[in-house]
Amino acid sequence: MTTQPTTSKAPSPPTTPEDMVRDRLTDLWTFATTEEFDSLATEYGFTTEEMSQRYVMALLEVAGIDYEGLRQTEILWASSGANLVRRAATGPKLTVWSAATMEAFTVCAASGRMIWHERFGAAMVDGVDAATVSAEKAIELAAHAVREWGAEAGVLRLNLARSRGLDFARLRRIAATEGLVLDIATVAVRNPAAEQCTWPDQVVWRTVDLHELWESAS
């Protein structure tokens, strides 16, 4: 019996950076760090200087993504973060408790005393949305305290009643712009903010002593 010679299928031409960016456009638009872009470049073999430059150019021209701008921003954030940590080391150490329902947020001082309790000004989408706003309010409150004492920076221990789904990186960026190094913890049990979250009356932070955020902090 005569066997027919097998013919191998011609290999597909290698994907170019331009083609890859067009094919993965939706994915690329979700990336937030240069590490994610670099990982994809390695996956496709864009590791030589020429291919890397083509990839970066394709990101800008095809997808509208400024890779070099993002890299410079990351370098700036890393430098700023290191400086902030050094300044915060000699500043106040704050502790704030945060919790929320779908109707209101509650922020308590280190001692557990309610400092701020208000209804949301707009309808919350879900529990993550409510918890996020409450955490932002806690950061805002701590920033007021740091400025009130005349400190350049401080460390904020933020005890959340829930953290699932929250964007910790975003919260840390918000805190950093206020001169705060953010230390986040999830304390679902015996969280005074959660225990007082259904308090019927409004509590305005301007009527209380913000020093409570510091002197009782551990």
Side-chain angles (χ1 to χ4, degrees), residues 73-95:
T73 299
E74 289 176 340
I75 292 172
L76 179 62
W77 267 106
S79 175
S80 299
N83 290 332
L84 175 60
V85 169
R86 284 193 292 271
R87 288 187 289 121
T90 58
K93 306 297 186 292
L94 317 175
T95 296

Side-chain angles (χ1 to χ4, degrees), residues 64-75:
I65 297 169
D66 185 0
Y67 175 92
E68 290 297 342
L70 177 60
R71 186 165 68 90
Q72 291 302 318
T73 299
E74 289 176 340
I75 292 172

Side-chain angles (χ1 to χ4, degrees), residues 13-171:
T15 300
T16 67
E18 296 78 12
D19 288 340
M20 186 273 274
V21 171
R22 292 188 189 94
D23 292 341
R24 302 293 297 270
L25 198 58
T26 302
D27 294 331
L28 290 165
W29 279 338
T30 67
F31 290 177
T33 65
T34 55
E35 183 179 359
E36 293 172 290
F37 291 108
D38 293 345
S39 178
L40 197 60
T42 301
E43 179 184 331
Y44 279 83
F46 305 149
T47 54
T48 66
E49 183 177 355
E50 178 187 356
M51 295 300 276
S52 294
Q53 290 177 352
R54 283 181 60 182
Y55 175 51
V56 170
M57 187 61 66
L59 287 172
L60 183 60
E61 295 183 348
V62 177
I65 297 169
D66 185 0
Y67 175 92
E68 290 297 342
L70 177 60
R71 186 165 68 90
Q72 291 302 318
T73 299
E74 289 176 340
I75 292 172
L76 179 62
W77 267 106
S79 175
S80 299
N83 290 332
L84 175 60
V85 169
R86 284 193 292 271
R87 288 187 289 121
T90 58
K93 306 297 186 292
L94 317 175
T95 296
V96 179
W97 301 82
S98 169
T101 65
M102 292 297 289
E103 289 75 35
F105 67 87
T106 303
V107 177
C108 293
S111 64
R113 190 165 86 89
M114 189 187 300
I115 296 291
W116 198 0
H117 176 75
E118 288 187 24
R119 297 182 65 84
F120 292 117
M124 296 294 103
V125 175
D126 52 30
V128 174
D129 193 21
T132 297
V133 173
S134 185
E136 292 171 352
K137 295 295 186 181
I139 294 170
E140 178 185 340
L141 186 68
H144 281 298
V146 169
R147 286 192 291 269
E148 185 176 290
W149 297 324
E152 289 188 0
V155 178
L156 171 59
R157 165 81 173 196
L158 179 56
N159 295 324
L160 303 174
R162 64 161 290 172
S163 60
R164 185 176 180 179
L166 269 65
D167 187 342
F168 285 1
R170 177 177 172 276
L171 290 175

